CSV table of all heavy atoms in Angstrom, one decimal:
chain,number,residue,atom,x,y,z
A,364,GLY,N,4.8,18.3,-16.4
A,364,GLY,CA,5.2,17.1,-17.2
A,364,GLY,C,5.2,15.9,-16.4
A,364,GLY,O,4.3,15.5,-15.7
A,365,GLY,N,6.4,15.2,-16.5
A,365,GLY,CA,6.6,13.9,-15.8
A,365,GLY,C,6.8,13.9,-14.3
A,365,GLY,O,6.6,15.0,-13.7
A,366,THR,N,7.2,12.8,-13.7
A,366,THR,CA,7.3,12.7,-12.3
A,366,THR,C,8.8,12.5,-11.9
A,366,THR,O,9.2,11.4,-11.6
A,366,THR,CB,6.4,11.6,-11.7
A,366,THR,OG1,5.1,11.8,-12.3
A,366,THR,CG2,6.3,11.7,-10.2
A,367,GLU,N,9.6,13.6,-12.0
A,367,GLU,CA,11.0,13.4,-11.7
A,367,GLU,C,11.3,13.9,-10.2
A,367,GLU,O,11.5,15.1,-10.0
A,367,GLU,CB,11.8,14.3,-12.6
A,367,GLU,CG,11.6,14.0,-14.1
A,367,GLU,CD,12.2,12.7,-14.6
A,367,GLU,OE1,12.9,12.1,-13.8
A,367,GLU,OE2,12.0,12.3,-15.7
A,368,ILE,N,11.2,13.0,-9.3
A,368,ILE,CA,11.3,13.4,-7.9
A,368,ILE,C,12.7,13.3,-7.3
A,368,ILE,O,13.0,14.0,-6.3
A,368,ILE,CB,10.4,12.5,-7.0
A,368,ILE,CG1,10.2,13.0,-5.6
A,368,ILE,CG2,10.9,11.0,-7.0
A,368,ILE,CD1,9.2,12.3,-4.8
A,369,LEU,N,13.6,12.6,-8.0
A,369,LEU,CA,15.0,12.5,-7.5
A,369,LEU,C,15.7,13.8,-7.5
A,369,LEU,O,16.4,14.1,-6.5
A,369,LEU,CB,15.8,11.5,-8.3
A,369,LEU,CG,15.7,10.0,-7.9
A,369,LEU,CD1,16.5,9.1,-8.9
A,369,LEU,CD2,16.3,9.9,-6.5
A,370,ALA,N,15.6,14.6,-8.5
A,370,ALA,CA,16.3,15.9,-8.6
A,370,ALA,C,16.0,16.8,-7.4
A,370,ALA,O,16.9,17.3,-6.8
A,370,ALA,CB,16.1,16.5,-9.9
A,371,PRO,N,14.7,17.1,-7.2
A,371,PRO,CA,14.4,18.0,-6.1
A,371,PRO,C,14.8,17.4,-4.7
A,371,PRO,O,15.2,18.1,-3.8
A,371,PRO,CB,12.9,18.2,-6.2
A,371,PRO,CG,12.4,17.0,-7.0
A,371,PRO,CD,13.5,16.7,-7.9
A,372,LEU,N,14.7,16.1,-4.5
A,372,LEU,CA,15.1,15.5,-3.3
A,372,LEU,C,16.6,15.7,-3.0
A,372,LEU,O,17.0,16.1,-1.9
A,372,LEU,CB,14.9,13.9,-3.3
A,372,LEU,CG,13.5,13.5,-3.0
A,372,LEU,CD1,13.4,12.0,-3.2
A,372,LEU,CD2,13.0,13.8,-1.6
A,373,LYS,N,17.4,15.5,-4.1
A,373,LYS,CA,18.9,15.8,-3.9
A,373,LYS,C,19.2,17.2,-3.6
A,373,LYS,O,20.1,17.6,-2.8
A,373,LYS,CB,19.6,15.3,-5.2
A,373,LYS,CG,19.6,13.8,-5.4
A,373,LYS,CD,20.3,13.4,-6.7
A,373,LYS,CE,20.4,11.9,-6.8
A,373,LYS,NZ,21.1,11.4,-8.0
A,374,ASN,N,18.4,18.1,-4.2
A,374,ASN,CA,18.6,19.6,-3.9
A,374,ASN,C,18.2,19.9,-2.5
A,374,ASN,O,18.9,20.6,-1.8
A,374,ASN,CB,17.7,20.4,-4.9
A,374,ASN,CG,17.8,21.9,-4.7
A,374,ASN,OD1,17.1,22.5,-3.9
A,374,ASN,ND2,18.8,22.5,-5.3
A,375,ILE,N,17.1,19.3,-2.0
A,375,ILE,CA,16.7,19.5,-0.6
A,375,ILE,C,17.8,19.0,0.4
A,375,ILE,O,18.2,19.7,1.3
A,375,ILE,CB,15.4,18.9,-0.3
A,375,ILE,CG1,14.3,19.6,-1.1
A,375,ILE,CG2,15.1,18.8,1.2
A,375,ILE,CD1,12.9,18.9,-1.1
A,376,TYR,N,18.3,17.8,0.1
A,376,TYR,CA,19.3,17.2,1.0
A,376,TYR,C,20.6,17.9,0.9
A,376,TYR,O,21.4,17.8,1.9
A,376,TYR,CB,19.4,15.7,0.7
A,376,TYR,CG,18.2,14.9,0.9
A,376,TYR,CD1,17.8,13.8,0.1
A,376,TYR,CD2,17.4,15.1,2.0
A,376,TYR,CE1,16.7,13.1,0.3
A,376,TYR,CE2,16.2,14.4,2.3
A,376,TYR,CZ,15.9,13.4,1.4
A,376,TYR,OH,14.8,12.6,1.7
A,377,SER,N,20.9,18.6,-0.2
A,377,SER,CA,22.2,19.2,-0.3
A,377,SER,C,22.3,20.5,0.4
A,377,SER,O,23.4,21.1,0.7
A,377,SER,CB,22.6,19.5,-1.8
A,377,SER,OG,21.7,20.4,-2.3
A,378,ALA,N,21.2,21.1,0.8
A,378,ALA,CA,21.1,22.4,1.5
A,378,ALA,C,21.6,22.2,3.0
A,378,ALA,O,21.5,21.2,3.6
A,378,ALA,CB,19.7,22.9,1.5
A,379,ALA,N,22.2,23.3,3.5
A,379,ALA,CA,22.7,23.2,4.8
A,379,ALA,C,21.6,23.2,5.8
A,379,ALA,O,20.5,23.8,5.6
A,379,ALA,CB,23.6,24.5,5.1
A,380,SER,N,21.8,22.4,6.9
A,380,SER,CA,20.8,22.3,8.0
A,380,SER,C,20.7,23.6,8.7
A,380,SER,O,21.7,24.4,8.9
A,380,SER,CB,21.1,21.2,8.9
A,380,SER,OG,21.1,20.0,8.2
A,381,ILE,N,19.5,23.9,9.3
A,381,ILE,CA,19.3,25.1,10.1
A,381,ILE,C,19.5,24.7,11.6
A,381,ILE,O,18.7,23.8,12.0
A,381,ILE,CB,17.9,25.7,9.9
A,381,ILE,CG1,17.7,26.1,8.4
A,381,ILE,CG2,17.7,26.9,10.8
A,381,ILE,CD1,16.3,26.6,8.1
A,382,PRO,N,20.5,25.2,12.3
A,382,PRO,CA,20.7,24.8,13.6
A,382,PRO,C,19.5,24.9,14.5
A,382,PRO,O,18.8,25.9,14.5
A,382,PRO,CB,21.8,25.7,14.1
A,382,PRO,CG,22.5,26.2,12.9
A,382,PRO,CD,21.4,26.2,11.8
A,383,GLY,N,19.2,23.8,15.3
A,383,GLY,CA,18.1,23.8,16.2
A,383,GLY,C,16.7,23.5,15.5
A,383,GLY,O,15.7,23.6,16.2
A,384,HIS,N,16.7,23.3,14.2
A,384,HIS,CA,15.5,23.1,13.4
A,384,HIS,C,15.6,21.8,12.6
A,384,HIS,O,16.0,21.9,11.4
A,384,HIS,CB,15.1,24.3,12.6
A,384,HIS,CG,14.8,25.5,13.4
A,384,HIS,ND1,13.5,25.8,13.8
A,384,HIS,CD2,15.6,26.5,13.9
A,384,HIS,CE1,13.5,26.9,14.4
A,384,HIS,NE2,14.8,27.4,14.5
A,385,PRO,N,15.3,20.7,13.1
A,385,PRO,CA,15.5,19.4,12.4
A,385,PRO,C,14.5,19.4,11.2
A,385,PRO,O,13.4,19.9,11.2
A,385,PRO,CB,15.1,18.3,13.4
A,385,PRO,CG,14.3,19.0,14.5
A,385,PRO,CD,14.8,20.4,14.5
A,386,LEU,N,15.0,18.8,10.1
A,386,LEU,CA,14.3,18.7,8.8
A,386,LEU,C,13.1,17.7,8.9
A,386,LEU,O,13.3,16.6,9.4
A,386,LEU,CB,15.2,18.3,7.7
A,386,LEU,CG,14.6,18.1,6.3
A,386,LEU,CD1,13.9,19.4,5.8
A,386,LEU,CD2,15.6,17.7,5.3
Side-chain angles (χ1 to χ4, degrees):
T366 311
E367 305 284 356
I368 192 173
L369 269 178
L372 279 175
K373 291 180 177 180
N374 180 267
I375 291 167
Y376 294 143
S377 66
S380 299
I381 301 175
H384 292 271
L386 176 61

